[in-house]
Amino acid sequence: MHDIIVNPFIQQFSVFLLAIFVGYYVVWSVTPALHTPLMSVTNAISSVIIVGALIAAGPEAMSISKILGAIAIGLAAVNIFGGFAVTARMLSMYKKKK
Amino acid sequence: MTQMHVDLTAVAYLVAAVLFILSLRGLSSPETSRQGNIFGIIGMVIAVVTTIMNPEIVSYDWIIGAIVIGGAIGFVIARKIAMTQMPQLVAAFHSLVGLAAVLVAASAFLHPTSFGIADAMGHIHTASKIEMSLGIAIGAITFSGSVIAFAKLNGNMSGAPIMLPARHIINILLGAGIVGGIAMFVVDQDLEIAGVHIFWIVTALSFIIGFLLIIPIGGADMPVVVSMLNSYSGWAAAGIGFTLANTALIVTGALVGSSGAILSYIMCKGMNRSFISVILGGFGGDGGLAVAGAA
């Protein structure tokens, strides 16, 4: 029994499934005024795809893959900086209104 | 990589994932919303730094260059944009995430060894083939769908629904083509049709279906669509996350995917619209609602 380990895919899939439930429950109570900021922060967070782009752009050797990776890093960076900055801006306006 | 480094990396990704959960939670209520944004930023910094510390990443020039250029552009846009243009900005940002997912999946396909997903012969593992093709398909749909959503919200394109004749049949054929193409790619990694690799055919069909799914949806329903596309970008990220066996990406993708779907449902309820009928505008099996509306 000790020599047999669970297929890593099953473990990843477990994490995936549980995270779906977390996402499901976490946003139910959101106030309507926060819909757009929530959307923009979610968008910024989904730019964590940059992790894959970094791996693609990381090797020393030049390749198409490295170029694609670098472009993907740039696109994700627009999102990360833009997304969090614009969310902060929206939230500061929201506070003033109150 | 030593065992300790591998473990520390996994823990760091887990911390990033938890911070993203707290970020979404924070954004659900006004009192905690700013704190939520900050949790998101910290999570992102941890995820990026952890990845860059990976010993397989040895060349930093392009990485730093791309982050600086992209970051500066994003920051300037965020500062200059008018608050009234927020919905189309979010749509534009989604298209970038979709495109980034496409590029990452494409580079994993072209260079599987640097992602550690191929055997010595260069054959990509079956599971990775499924994950990367789902990632590229959903990423492509997110991109082209978001471009249309942006154009409609920004007024570059009329907000009126564009109903192609036989659009449901076209969409069903395209969908079948995508699913069939992925199946063929999984069975035979080197399959080419008319000299074009099956992987690129799947990608092209996905770009096309993304356009076609969104053009029949009216401008008033666009915010819901933007939220749905947000959800898609999450699923695409999760697909790539499985390919890379990266917890942060898998958790974040699932989180964004499900919360985006729920948010679009909540928005529909807020607008007193039926979720199904908004989505049916584009996806519909029979288009009964649209026809009834026109008649």
Side-chain angles (χ1 to χ4, degrees), chain B residues 226-253:
Chain B
V226 171
S227 180
M228 276 304 289
L229 291 165
N230 190 7
S231 163
Y232 292 171
S233 71
W235 303 124
I240 310 280
F242 277 109
T243 308
L244 303 176
N246 183 305
T247 326
L249 257 177
I250 296 174
V251 172
T252 316

Side-chain angles (χ1 to χ4, degrees), chain B residues 108-126:
Chain B
F109 167 68
L110 292 170
H111 225 256
T113 45
S114 50
F115 288 82
I117 52 170
D119 62 21
M121 303 288 289
H123 294 297
I124 304 173
H125 304 144
T126 305

Side-chain angles (χ1 to χ4, degrees), chain A residues 34-98:
Chain A
L34 284 173
H35 283 175
T36 313
L38 179 63
M39 230 193 286
S40 88
V41 92
T42 322
N43 170 65
I45 286 173
S46 60
S47 317
V48 73
I49 190 90
I50 195 172
V51 164
L54 290 167
I55 294 171
E60 192 70 67
M62 177 51 79
S63 64
I64 299 178
S65 174
K66 187 177 160 88
I67 298 171
L68 296 181
I71 299 172
I73 292 175
L75 297 176
V78 172
N79 252 309
I80 293 172
F81 285 80
F84 285 122
V86 93
T87 309
R89 225 182 112 194
M90 279 190 266
L91 294 177
S92 67
M93 295 191 69
Y94 187 73
K95 206 175 180 195
K96 270 182 221 145
K97 253 189 259 169
K98 268 177 69 181

Side-chain angles (χ1 to χ4, degrees), chain B:
Chain B
M1 247 201 286
T2 62
Q3 181 65 46
M4 198 175 104
H5 189 184
V6 172
D7 291 345
L8 276 179
T9 304
V11 170
Y13 282 137
L14 186 62
V15 171
V18 170
L19 284 164
F20 290 147
I21 294 172
L22 293 175
S23 173
L24 287 197
R25 178 73 235 174
L27 259 290
S28 309
S29 107
E31 296 78 37
T32 53
S33 57
R34 294 158 136 222
Q35 195 186 33
N37 199 33
I38 290 166
F39 281 144
I41 296 170
I42 300 171
M44 189 61 71
V45 170
I46 292 176
V48 169
V49 170
T50 307
T51 311
I52 291 178
M53 305 267 271
N54 185 321
E56 278 150 35
I57 294 184
V58 288
S59 149
Y60 296 102
D61 317 358
W62 287 38
I63 291 176
I64 294 168
I67 291 179
V68 169
I69 296 171
I73 295 173
F75 201 69
V76 170
I77 294 174
R79 293 298 293 273
K80 294 226 162 130
I81 193 95
M83 279 296 151
T84 49
Q85 294 174 310
M86 221 34 91
Q88 53 265 53
L89 178 71
V90 176
F93 279 167
H94 286 334
S95 74
L96 300 183
V97 178
L99 195 54
V102 168
L103 295 176
V104 172
S107 65
F109 167 68
L110 292 170
H111 225 256
T113 45
S114 50
F115 288 82
I117 52 170
D119 62 21
M121 303 288 289
H123 294 297
I124 304 173
H125 304 144
T126 305
S128 303
K129 282 195 279 190
I130 300 173
E131 294 147 11
M132 70 164 69
S133 40
L134 285 176
I136 205 164
I138 304 172
I141 293 171
T142 309
F143 170 74
S144 52
S146 302
V147 168
I148 298 296
F150 170 82
K152 287 200 175 197
L153 286 164
N154 203 38
N156 305 85
M157 197 176 151
S158 153
I162 299 169
M163 303 288 186
L164 291 181
R167 65 203 161 90
H168 296 310
I169 293 166
I170 298 173
N171 288 344
I172 289 166
L173 289 177
L174 280 170
I178 292 166
V179 173
I182 291 175
M184 285 194 265
F185 170 63
V186 171
V187 173
D188 178 4
Q189 189 186 315
D190 299 316
L191 182 69
E192 289 185 3
I193 292 176
V196 182
H197 197 287
I198 187 75
F199 192 70
W200 306 128
I201 296 177
V202 167
T203 312
L205 293 179
S206 306
F207 276 124
I208 297 170
I209 203 171
F211 282 120
L212 295 181
L213 288 175
I214 308 304
I215 54 170
I217 302 179
D221 288 331
M222 268 310 135
V224 178
V225 171
V226 171
S227 180
M228 276 304 289
L229 291 165
N230 190 7
S231 163
Y232 292 171
S233 71
W235 303 124
I240 310 280
F242 277 109
T243 308
L244 303 176
N246 183 305
T247 326
L249 257 177
I250 296 174
V251 172
T252 316
L255 201 62
V256 171
S258 65
S259 68
I262 297 305
L263 183 60
S264 31
Y265 175 77
I266 296 175
M267 286 165 81
C268 274
K269 266 179 77 182
M271 289 155 57
N272 247 334
R273 294 278 284 142
S274 141
F275 183 60
I276 304 295
S277 75
V278 170
I279 301 307
L280 272 186
F283 293 65
D286 58 353
L289 285 161
V291 174

